[in-house]
Amino acid sequence: MNAVGRAEVEDFLYHEAALLDGWRLDEWLALLTDDATYRVPSNDRPASDPKSALFTIADDIRRIRARVTRLNDPHTHAESPRSRTRRLISNVRIVEQNPLQVEANFVIYRFRGNEDVREYVGRYRYTLERHDGKLRIRSREAILDAMELASLGTVSFIL
């Protein structure tokens, strides 16, 4: 297997961020493998297992698809009107090549209705795989830096 370079990973993560910011959730879903997971661990135990610890989000592919279906529904109360987000991705680094483990820092600005802007700061941990010549997401974790999550409001959108 050929090594994947940082530039290719950065392009992939920037593309993913653009899809999420544009609420192109079906296209984002196509970036995931058939056994993908999406997790937002508790910030006091980010390395824990969702089977034995509290997670903000611990979705398998079935729940990810259901989440996208709910978010795409125009009558979804939690995201009506939809949040406007802007993701900034930085410090992308390849931690391991096989399996392809990637980490990156993020800041997400969330604008919703007349609320004050909310900032979500943290780091992503990904396991990526190549399928049909393209990178796809096998696992995605968003680890928030904030120790107190109540001020961030509900995380109804995809971090």
Side-chain angles (χ1 to χ4, degrees):
M1 180 176 169
N2 293 337
V4 176
R6 185 176 45 84
E8 181 180 8
V9 170
E10 283 179 339
D11 287 346
F12 179 80
L13 297 183
Y14 298 157
H15 175 66
E16 181 200 23
L19 292 177
L20 290 170
D21 285 342
W23 281 85
R24 294 163 47 199
L25 301 180
D26 292 321
E27 291 175 66
W28 174 77
L29 197 56
L31 297 179
L32 279 61
T33 64
D34 290 335
D35 60 349
T37 59
Y38 164 52
R39 296 180 177 159
V40 181
S42 111
N43 48 11
D44 62 337
R45 295 181 56 204
S48 58
D49 184 334
K51 293 176 185 167
S52 61
L54 181 64
F55 268 56
T56 303
I57 297 169
D59 290 355
D60 60 12
I61 191 64
R62 181 184 56 78
R63 291 184 63 143
I64 296 168
R65 288 179 179 135
R67 181 181 298 276
V68 167
T69 298
R70 277 192 314 276
L71 289 171
N72 278 332
D73 183 342
H75 304 293
T76 299
H77 176 72
E79 282 298 330
S80 180
R82 289 180 173 166
S83 296
R84 293 178 324 278
T85 58
R86 186 65 53 216
R87 288 164 175 77
L88 305 178
I89 312 295
S90 69
N91 299 72
V92 176
R93 53 214 171 273
I94 296 172
V95 177
E96 188 175 326
Q97 281 285 341
N98 193 15
L100 182 56
Q101 304 284 326
V102 173
E103 292 187 359
N105 295 337
F106 69 83
V107 176
I108 302 171
Y109 295 98
R110 180 186 189 197
F111 303 86
R112 184 147 193 273
N114 292 325
E115 297 175 9
D116 290 337
V117 65
R118 299 208 173 164
E119 298 173 3
Y120 301 80
V121 178
R123 67 185 165 99
Y124 288 129
R125 287 193 304 215
Y126 288 89
T127 300
L128 303 176
E129 295 179 352
R130 193 175 296 283
H131 287 268
D132 298 324
K134 296 181 181 178
L135 291 177
R136 297 201 37 216
I137 300 168
R138 178 147 191 217
S139 69
R140 181 185 197 274
E141 284 188 324
I143 299 139
L144 294 165
D145 286 341
M147 287 310 291
E148 184 275 317
L149 299 180
S151 65
L152 297 178
T154 35
V155 185
S156 52
F157 65 101
I158 296 170
L159 285 171

